[in-house]
Amino acid sequence: MTTTPIANHPNIFTHQSSSSPLAFLNRTSFIPFSSISKRNSVNCNGWRTRCSVAKDYTVPSSAVDGGPAAELDCVIVGAGISGLCIAQVMSANYPNLMVTEARDRAGGNITTVERDGYLWEEGPNSFQPSDPMLTMAVDCGLKDDLVLGDPNAPRFVLWKGKLRPVPSKLTDLPFFDLMSIPGKLRAGFGAIGLRPSPPGHEESVEQFVRRNLGGEVFERLIEPFCSGVYAGDPSKLSMKAAFGKVWKLEETGGSIIGGTFKAIKERSSTPKAPRDPRLPKPKGQTVGSFRKGLRMLPDAISARLGSKLKLSWKLSSITKSEKGGYHLTYETPEGVVSLQSRSIVMTVPSYVASNILRPLSVAAADALSNFYYPPVGAVTISYPQEAIRDERLVDGELKGFGQLHPRTQGVETLGTIYSSSLFPNRAPKGRVLLLNYIGGAKNPEILSKTESQLVEVVDRDLRKMLIKPKAQDPLVVGVRVWPQAIPQFLVGHLDTLSTAKAAMNDNGLEGLFLGGNYVSGVALGRCVEGAYEVASEVTGFLSRYAYK
């Protein structure tokens, strides 16, 4: 297949939804722009176990077509990155487990595509190389496949028609032009505690940032950051739920700076556990991926799970067993399959979990149905190197992580990742590959746009600040829209989640656990860290109760 240029025809940053439904738009072939279809469209909690291949577990034939149920230690429902990583952590000590997935592939929203010299992501784009994330990669045999971005590569925010660098270190603060001197002073005084006191109720991200750091920090840094990470509305996102580490600084230290110093003091007075010597040491603040894209991680875990991973298995019901544990019934390509398990982890999206759990707990189901997942589109396009504006080039190349766009700046695209600059071998020589995110909580109307309309919007936006206005049309590499993409951690999110868990407990659903990105956090790294946390909970339950 050949790529077709279109010259002759008249987003940043990571979002991580680990188990969203299949996209209703998927264009993975290279097509002329004007001919696109017009249809609408850790700490690892003590877990330092190496990944080992346990003996394969196959459902006995007697369990098919309504026969006797097979007994398992744990069934993990959903083979997104959360479910796979939970199984990866648990399998060394509890090999008698199973992961089931209704779709015909594992990996959730992780969608890496490679074709004609291009390698691109249509879901999450990268991860923060935290120790838990690196541990997972190393345990899965991917250490040599890790790729890390240049920590010195700049990030940009669009403001008043110009892409302005974001400060990457303290020494940048006096000189960057994204904020005015009064705005910087307001932020500095607020950070040390010269600002209004907390209001005594849960604040939105906007309320917290405006109160602590001022309007400029919110409008020029935090608002576009919220769009890039959550595709969310910061006037509705909960500071405590969405950015808990920063919220906690003020809570524990009386101010952001006070909390920072207190945290540093506590860390220095607490003996550090020795770091796993197998882990690489990233330099500076950067992001990571793998040589052949993020898809390598779920593929590696899937290979290790072997027949413990069941695809195209649709869970139709869960009931409590008279013997203890749970009875699960699946519709599979081989017929109806029944399983008996001591524990269950639900890592599917909250709205899917709500439907499945309703017969067991109406209150839990009602709580889980309250979480909102707005649509997000990933539009991947390519331009020749000479299409980039001269002022955006360094030594003749586009360099940097990417750019974010505040919604006040007259563009619809949330942000753009410089994919071919961020990681090696993502585009043919002489081409620039750009991943653009569009949609989110403030723009659900993307669901009514065609693929060509989405590309037109992105191309129009880029020509305002990155691409030369008269450059040739882009090559369309991929267009994918996730109708329910990223769970929004709105004000009240943690209370709603607690309500769901309390209702499950009240209904005697011990051994049934909730996991996934609406529990742990939306970033890919947080999903992996959350997997260690859930695995610890489940193994604790099994050791305390199931084997007494």
Side-chain angles (χ1 to χ4, degrees), residues 23 95 98 124 138 175 185 190 210 248 352 358 366 400 407 413 443 450 457 459 462 473 502 526 529:
M98 184 177 292
V138 170
F175 307 107
L185 291 174
R210 285 188 182 277
K248 192 175 181 181
V352 177
R358 187 163 295 280
D366 286 345
R407 296 176 191 267
T413 311
N443 187 18
T450 63
V457 168
D459 180 61
L462 290 177
D473 289 340
R526 271 303 302 151
E529 291 171 21

Side-chain angles (χ1 to χ4, degrees), residues 75-76 130 134 205 231 234 291 293 304 306 366 370 373 388 395 404 412 414 420 498 508 512 545:
V75 172
I76 299 162
S130 63
L134 294 174
V205 171
R291 179 177 52 85
R304 289 174 177 266
D366 286 345
N370 287 327
Y373 292 67
I388 305 298
D395 298 327
L404 289 171
E412 192 172 341
L414 298 173
S420 52
S498 295
L512 201 160
Y545 301 108

Side-chain angles (χ1 to χ4, degrees), residues 318-320 326 356-362 503 507 509 512:
I318 299 175
T319 56
K320 292 186 67 176
Y326 298 90
I356 295 172
L357 297 179
R358 187 163 295 280
L360 296 173
S361 172
V362 173
N507 283 271
L509 302 180
L512 201 160

